Amino acid sequence: MINLTQKPFYLTEEQSAEVIKLANHLTDEEKVGQLFCLLGSIYSDDELNRLVSDYHVSGFLFRPMPADDLQKKWARLDQLTQIPLLKAANLEEGGYGANEEGTYFANPLQVAATNDLEITRKFAKVCAVEGKAAGCNWNFAPVSDIDFNTQNPITNVRTYGSDVQTVVDNVKCYVKNLQQNGMAAACKHFPGDGVDYRDQHLHPTYNSLSAEDWYASYGRVYSEAIDVGLLSVMVGHIVQPALEKEINAKLEIADMLPASQSKQLLSGILRGKLGFNGLIITDATIMGGYCMSLPRKAALTASINAGCDMFCFSTDFYEDYGYLLEALHDGTLSRERLDEAVIRILALKMTLESMSYPQETIESIAWRNECADKSITLVKDIQHLIPFDRERFPQIEITVVGEDEIAEGYKISLLAENYFKSQGFEVSHYHPLEDDLHGTSQLSKDKLRLILVNCPTASNQTTVRINWSPKHALDMPRFVDEETYAMISFNNPYHLQDAPRVRTYINAYSPTKASVLASFDKMLGYSPFVGVSPVDAFCGLVDTHL
């Protein structure tokens, strides 16, 4: 029997009884509908109405839109159900993940680079307040992975780094402060991404740590988040063989399922050994990592039987809904597990409805600027370039690699041009397709070649590496002995692996105007570099130090 009066729900006896009573009065159809949190943006308003009123869907996540529009959408849907909705958002980088007027505060790795948990507290508060301003009450964050593998294309700047203690401290701080400000947190992606070099969006991936190493790393992250009252966990489509064997020594590797379908990992480890009593939701079931391990009906049934309480998104909701009803009626879906799942869903809703939290003001822009100032990291400067001025380099040639446009519609190239012109520099832009191979005799000693890199971390990529120009890679730092180069990355912190001989390299972590301008200020010596790298920006390579 689930005790709803204990951590993390802390319901009163009366509230607990109300949840149990409601769960007992729901029909099978209503219970199955409660299992789903759908991607609302793919449905028309009429279909959304039907999903709530006829299928009793539990919640939705909408892509960012103006706060007033999202509030109105929630209000309309609220009128169609007596059971409160879970109103989800991906607020990994700030309130803009739900609210178009919200703040792109920073990537989590940038927050960690400040080495200041007060910034993490402010970050969580901005996410909560701006998310709630759009009507949301459940945040699919923090990313609680550890970026052990520099080649992983999806963890990267979404994590708090590769140091276990740093990740533990930041995750705990974020969870505690987000929930104190009236929004449920969901640590993800249990049992932990960042070991494999591949993306679970594309196929199941593996956390291959030994059980001992897992408990000392990911296990600590989740255990300590649970200790501070974590309300929900999002489980990844990630296999953890050592933990599977710990619970069932007879399992063979071919029999091991991703956590989102694994009874060993959910009931055995997360519920059993870590003592988590909150809600468990799958990561998106549209992902390759979910779809490839079992036939669809079997996968859905396995998830609930294993210990999941909810599904995130659906390839075809009506098909999935029908599969689960069939499984319930033919006995392959445990009725006991269905009832437990529904009770935890209703308990989370009751907890959110009864939350009291301070109505405090936030200073989103000032706090974002503070984060940028404290995080920008001078990784390498073996040529002693920093600081420099226009007497030393009167000319700056800007090369943008990757995406020029960043948050809020700004362009890195224009921000750089306007900034350096305002400081008295001559500014030009380099376009490799307009150039040709050349020697070194005509190269200028008075020009700084500034390479600005923005290669975003995003789902469904096999790698996040620099792709130099197809024309002879003319934009790479080629003549490092004849010209002076500096490189700044506004996303991936590992680009030294693709430009190991560049002699000045800066990590700015987030593609925001604040990070761009703070980087330039520090290059010119207007403020010091104080950021501390949360990862090995040298990628474990010898030549990146040269």
Side-chain angles (χ1 to χ4, degrees):
M1 186 67 177
I2 304 168
N3 190 336
L4 302 180
T5 65
Q6 295 182 350
K7 187 185 295 182
F9 300 116
Y10 294 116
L11 299 184
T12 65
E13 294 288 352
E14 293 77 11
Q15 289 172 324
S16 178
E18 184 179 340
V19 165
I20 301 299
K21 181 179 178 181
L22 176 55
N24 288 338
H25 280 82
L26 294 179
T27 66
D28 289 348
E29 291 76 14
E30 289 171 326
K31 289 178 180 179
V32 169
Q34 284 294 302
L35 301 179
F36 289 90
C37 179
L38 299 179
L39 180 58
S41 307
I42 68 174
Y43 301 103
S44 69
D45 284 347
D46 286 344
E47 192 169 10
L48 288 170
N49 293 347
R50 290 195 301 275
L51 288 168
V52 173
S53 62
D54 298 347
Y55 290 90
H56 317 287
V57 166
S58 199
F60 297 93
L61 180 147
F62 290 95
R63 296 305 186 197
M65 64 179 73
D68 285 348
D69 292 351
L70 188 49
Q71 283 273 23
K72 290 174 183 176
K73 196 177 288 286
W74 289 129
R76 189 190 76 250
L77 296 175
D78 283 337
Q79 293 175 354
L80 302 173
T81 178
Q82 296 299 308
I83 302 175
L85 292 169
L86 289 172
K87 303 167 182 178
N90 264 324
L91 307 178
E92 292 183 16
E93 299 96 6
Y96 95 112
N99 178 352
E100 281 187 355
E101 295 96 2
T103 308
Y104 189 137
F105 190 94
N107 285 317
L109 196 67
Q110 180 168 25
V111 174
T114 68
N115 199 31
D116 183 354
L117 290 177
E118 179 62 15
I119 297 295
T120 312
R121 185 191 70 81
K122 292 174 178 177
F123 176 42
K125 190 171 179 180
V126 168
C127 292
V129 173
E130 293 187 350
K132 287 180 69 65
C136 300
N137 58 17
W138 191 15
N139 183 9
F140 290 164
V143 172
S144 304
D145 301 319
I146 307 173
D147 206 37
F148 283 140
N149 194 321
T150 62
Q151 303 304 309
N152 187 297
I154 190 62
T155 51
N156 207 288
V157 291
R158 298 174 68 206
T159 74
Y160 289 103
S162 59
D163 177 74
V164 173
Q165 190 63 53
T166 299
V167 175
V168 167
D169 291 343
N170 279 276
V171 166
K172 284 172 57 180
C173 182
Y174 186 95
V175 167
K176 182 178 179 180
N177 285 280
L178 186 85
Q179 294 187 169
Q180 284 179 346
N181 283 278
M183 181 170 285
C187 284
K188 60 185 183 184
H189 309 82
F190 182 87
D193 207 346
V195 177
D196 204 325
Y197 66 90
R198 299 168 299 173
D199 179 6
Q200 57 154 335
H201 288 79
L202 303 175
H203 49 74
T205 59
Y206 287 73
N207 182 316
S208 56
L209 296 183
S210 69
E212 180 181 5
D213 288 343
W214 186 89
Y215 282 111
S217 53
Y218 295 94
R220 274 194 62 202
V221 175
Y222 280 92
S223 180
E224 297 202 29
I226 290 166
D227 284 346
V228 298
L230 174 67
L231 282 164
S232 64
V233 168
M234 176 174 281
V235 295
H237 314 312
I238 301 168
V239 183
Q240 217 301 338
L243 298 182
E244 293 266 2
K245 296 283 280 188
E246 182 177 293
I247 302 299
N248 184 352
K250 295 180 180 179
L251 280 177
E252 299 294 334
I253 193 72
D255 301 319
M256 295 178 184
L257 294 170
S260 49
Q261 299 159 13
S262 169
K263 188 171 185 178
Q264 288 74 234
L265 295 180
L266 299 184
S267 297
I269 302 296
L270 184 55
R271 293 255 189 247
K273 296 210 170 184
L274 300 186
F276 181 60
N277 189 40
L279 184 143
I280 299 176
I281 183 170
T282 70
D283 203 346
T285 71
I286 65 175
M287 291 162 59
Y290 189 84
C291 298
M292 294 179 184
S293 54
L294 288 171
R296 186 73 183 181
K297 181 179 177 181
L300 297 167
T301 305
S303 291
I304 301 300
N305 287 342
C308 283
D309 303 308
M310 289 191 76
F311 298 103
C312 178
F313 305 168
S314 179
T315 51
D316 181 333
F317 164 74
Y318 305 101
E319 180 180 77
D320 288 351
Y321 177 85
Y323 281 155
L324 287 164
L325 282 175
E326 289 175 12
L328 181 63
H329 296 151
D330 68 22
T332 53
L333 174 59
S334 163
R335 185 171 290 277
E336 179 183 4
R337 269 297 305 132
L338 174 63
D339 289 342
E340 288 177 353
V342 171
I343 286 170
R344 282 198 173 90
I345 293 165
L346 297 178
L348 177 58
K349 294 180 177 186
M350 176 71 77
T351 299
L352 290 169
E353 289 288 300
S354 58
M355 266 186 176
S356 60
Y357 51 91
Q359 299 293 328
E360 298 182 45
T361 58
I362 56 174
E363 301 174 47
S364 303
I365 303 305
W367 292 349
R368 177 177 67 183
N369 292 345
E370 181 186 10
C371 179
D373 180 63
K374 290 184 173 181
S375 62
I376 309 298
T377 307
L378 180 59
V379 175
K380 178 181 180 182
D381 188 28
I382 61 174
Q383 61 188 342
H384 306 294
L385 170 68
I386 308 284
F388 69 90
D389 56 30
R390 64 178 180 271
E391 290 186 9
R392 184 176 176 191
F393 294 106
Q395 303 173 58
I396 294 180
E397 184 175 73
I398 297 163
T399 302
V400 174
V401 176
E403 297 182 9
D404 193 8
E405 187 166 324
I406 59 172
E408 300 172 335
Y410 292 104
K411 290 192 173 183
I412 297 174
S413 58
L414 294 180
L415 288 172
E417 177 181 340
N418 293 336
Y419 179 91
F420 287 109
K421 279 185 175 179
S422 75
Q423 302 300 309
F425 292 90
E426 293 180 33
V427 178
S428 60
H429 296 271
Y430 182 70
H431 302 288
L433 297 181
E434 299 173 6
D435 196 9
D436 288 300
L437 285 171
H438 53 74
T440 61
S441 60
Q442 301 300 313
L443 298 178
S444 172
K445 297 291 186 181
D446 297 329
K447 180 192 294 182
L448 173 65
R449 298 196 63 178
L450 182 58
I451 302 173
L452 306 176
V453 186
N454 179 31
C455 297
T457 297
S459 59
N460 307 315
Q461 298 183 116
T462 56
T463 187
V464 184
R465 299 282 294 271
I466 292 177
N467 291 312
W468 299 110
S469 172
K471 187 176 182 180
H472 309 302
L474 288 172
D475 48 353
M476 73 176 179
R478 185 185 307 268
F479 297 118
V480 294
D481 291 306
E482 288 84 6
E483 294 184 294
T484 302
Y485 296 86
M487 179 184 288
I488 308 175
S489 172
F490 295 104
N491 243 303
N492 188 336
Y494 301 120
H495 285 317
L496 266 179
Q497 65 184 318
D498 294 317
R501 298 301 178 110
V502 72
R503 294 169 179 175
T504 299
Y505 178 83
I506 296 164
N507 272 329
Y509 305 106
S510 297
T512 64
K513 179 182 178 182
S515 295
V516 172
L517 297 184
S519 300
F520 298 158
D521 277 348
K522 293 176 186 299
M523 291 188 77
L524 297 187
Y526 297 148
S527 67
F529 286 93
V530 295
V532 178
S533 182
V535 296
D536 175 18
F538 295 96
C539 308
L541 300 171
V542 173
D543 60 336
T544 51
H545 294 270
L546 302 178

